[in-house]
Amino acid sequence: MSTSHPRAELTVAKARQIRRLALGMVYRAKQGHPGGDMSVTDILATLYFGALRVDPANPNDPKRDRFILSKGHCTGAFYATLAEKGFFPLDQLDTYMQPLSKLNGHPNRNYTPGVETNTGPLGHGMPVAVGAAIAGQIDQADYRVFVVVGDGELQEGSNWEAALTAGHRKLANLTLIIDRNGLQQGARTEDTAALEPLADKWRAFGWDVVEVDGHDHDALLSIFTAPTAGRTKPLCVLARTHKGQGISFMRDQVSWHHGVPNQAQYELALQEIGQ
Amino acid sequence: MSAEINAAGRYDCREAFAKTIEALAEKDERIVAVVNDSVGSSKLVGFQKRFPNRLINVGIAEQAMVGVGAGLANGGKVPFVSGASCFLTARALEQIKADVAYTNTNVKLCGMSSGVAYGELGPTHHSIEDFAWLRLLPNLTITAPSDRWETEQAVKAAAATEGPFFLRISRMAVPDLVRPSDAMFQIGKAETLRQGRDATIIANGVMVSRAIEAADQLAASGMNVRVVNMASIAPLDIEAIRSAAETGAIVTAEEHSVRGGLGGAVAEVVATSCPCRLRILGFPGFLPTGSPEFLLERYGLTASGIADAVRQTIEARKAA
């Protein structure tokens, strides 16, 4: 992987660490969604360590950039990212999904600093992100709003309601990232309720679209850090990803949507991810 | 404490709702309105004229409307999310649960034209289930004002209090209640409008003035009946219900299903902590077509219907 972007060396290292942490969380909790954790990790690492204006010491700063994980089941990667960033201690990750843990299977902003809205049911992140972007538009604030949705999640109609409003209001401060790993819980998206041609759909809704390899840190960083001045539309980043990225036996396997590794698989996966 | 009915006129509480929001928005630029193509039916045409940037119309899209409201609250706004109660609460129930109640956002949901205001349009447009499915949600304050004054007070309280609200605003014309000059609106606090010992009527929304008229009818035949306005059903004034139980007979009256609403909330308290005779007045299920007044009359939600229910409940207690 090319790491020519000045922040890419850091984000690649962070992504490796997030993968290790997330996999450990799933392994210990004996549940979770490791396939989606691995597909979204490079997006999270490049956002949090290369693009987002957030301060763990002041998580509710009105001027912060907003990040919303609409695919709320991927808390393995999300909590690992927030802890790596310093929103809460790393050792708290050991409590993931344990009784009374603050690290619920899906994120809760009232328990976990850095979480903007409680997600879990699919199709909720987009409307909330659009609302936060409208608030910024009204106030002429310079914060940006980023929302990550899973591709299967786009079958929920609420996304398209929000997409209409975002296009209509020309929310140039809004960036949607689609984690396009091609798989949903039970099958390929294209064998379930096909999404393609997906880029055309977003363009038709009044969005700019950029397609990218969702594991290419240079490419993700250059998109996320590009100046927003002059933009007149919301931006859809169609990130082509692989479920289980970084772990050979998980990669593109639908069975790892919420599979749990045994000890041998866990150790092999850590070896493949590397230190 | 008592209140009289001002016979001078009847008023649509949506006007008081809109006027109050406009006045608050003048002073507080955080206040915005979010609608689902419901500018006119929410009486927000004036708001839109005065604050065009602060009226967000997402189109006919209730899920987006509630989610956008939650996002606006995240961005520091105080959104009044206003649409027909039937669509707002049923179509967007999961958004209300997750984005508003569970996330505990500062969103003010305004269910307009609730109950059977759209009587002739049929059960798809009736909102006689909203108390039941919203009352289950933690963090959500639920208020059904009874007249113009209480609507204004409820809107002010919602704006001034951090956290999720549901305001149930009727479009059925109701009279003003003439309250004592020191009357105060308090969230979660019932208002006793008539003192009484023989029985208690607990009502809210459009049924409150009818409950007062019922008590007046009963007084004419020598019965001394208490009237309690339970505008807030969440949080619920449990002490007022316990006190009502001491009168030995309670009749609840609401423009809602008999299941799960005000009557259901009162029944939970009565059955578990202060057993007494209880009669729940409301609608039995999907309703036939008819004007709001026709439907209220058909199901006994009139002053004389409430009075009859009180008499029967007192008789049943005596016979037991």
Side-chain angles (χ1 to χ4, degrees), chain B residues 21-240:
Chain B
I21 288 185
E22 279 184 46
L24 291 171
E26 190 74 54
K27 293 180 194 149
D28 184 349
E29 65 176 23
R30 298 174 308 151
I31 291 178
V32 297
V34 190
V35 296
N36 56 338
D37 192 25
S38 50
V39 181
S41 57
S42 295
K43 300 286 182 193
L44 291 171
V45 174
F47 184 101
Q48 186 174 33
K49 276 190 187 140
R50 288 172 73 176
F51 313 105
N53 289 338
R54 290 155 65 184
L55 187 292
I56 296 120
N57 190 347
V58 299
I60 306 164
E62 290 74 27
Q63 298 180 75
M65 174 170 69
V66 174
V68 163
L72 284 158
N74 177 289
K77 301 297 176 192
V78 181
F80 282 77
V81 175
S82 182
S85 194
C86 53
F87 309 130
L88 168 66
T89 66
R91 188 64 162 263
L93 184 56
E94 191 182 79
Q95 278 73 20
I96 295 174
K97 174 187 170 186
D99 309 348
V100 177
Y102 178 47
T103 303
N104 204 7
T105 43
N106 195 25
V107 172
K108 317 305 173 185
L109 303 163
C110 308
M112 311 306 285
S113 309
S114 50
V116 294
Y118 292 124
E120 297 88 341
L121 303 188
T124 53
H125 285 58
H126 299 162
S127 194
I128 60 171
E129 307 89 356
D130 47 14
F131 281 152
W133 48 50
L134 297 184
R135 198 164 67 78
L136 300 175
L137 300 176
N139 301 331
L140 183 63
T141 294
I142 301 175
T143 297
S146 57
D147 69 352
R148 294 195 295 182
W149 177 83
E150 199 169 34
T151 301
E152 181 184 333
Q153 298 301 312
V155 171
K156 285 180 178 170
T161 310
E162 182 81 18
F165 270 71
F166 175 69
L167 304 175
R168 193 181 198 246
I169 309 291
S170 178
R171 73 194 285 156
M172 281 188 66
V174 288
D176 286 334
L177 304 182
V178 184
R179 292 174 165 87
S181 58
D182 61 349
M184 275 176 59
F185 174 84
Q186 283 179 275
I187 294 158
K189 191 85 181 140
E191 182 187 28
T192 302
L193 299 174
R194 282 280 190 285
Q195 300 293 345
R197 295 179 307 274
D198 297 334
T200 303
I201 305 166
I202 302 178
N204 64 18
V206 303
M207 296 311 299
V208 173
S209 62
R210 292 162 190 247
I212 293 173
E213 288 174 47
D216 289 345
Q217 287 180 16
L218 292 162
S221 50
M223 277 184 269
N224 186 318
V225 175
R226 186 181 304 175
V227 176
V228 172
N229 172 18
M230 193 70 76
S232 298
I233 68 164
L236 190 65
D237 188 342
I238 289 168
E239 278 313 307

Side-chain angles (χ1 to χ4, degrees), chain A residues 66 116 118 124 128 139 161, chain B residues 64 71 74 77 94 99 102-103:
Chain A
R66 270 72 172 172
E116 296 288 352
N118 301 4
H124 282 246
V128 176
D139 291 341
E161 292 184 4
Chain B
N74 177 289
K77 301 297 176 192
E94 191 182 79
D99 309 348
Y102 178 47
T103 303

Side-chain angles (χ1 to χ4, degrees), chain A residues 153-173:
Chain A
E153 178 179 7
L154 289 174
Q155 291 156 357
E156 292 280 8
S158 50
N159 291 301
W160 302 100
E161 292 184 4
L164 273 178
T165 281
H168 177 80
R169 300 184 74 89
K170 304 189 190 311
L171 296 175
N173 56 353

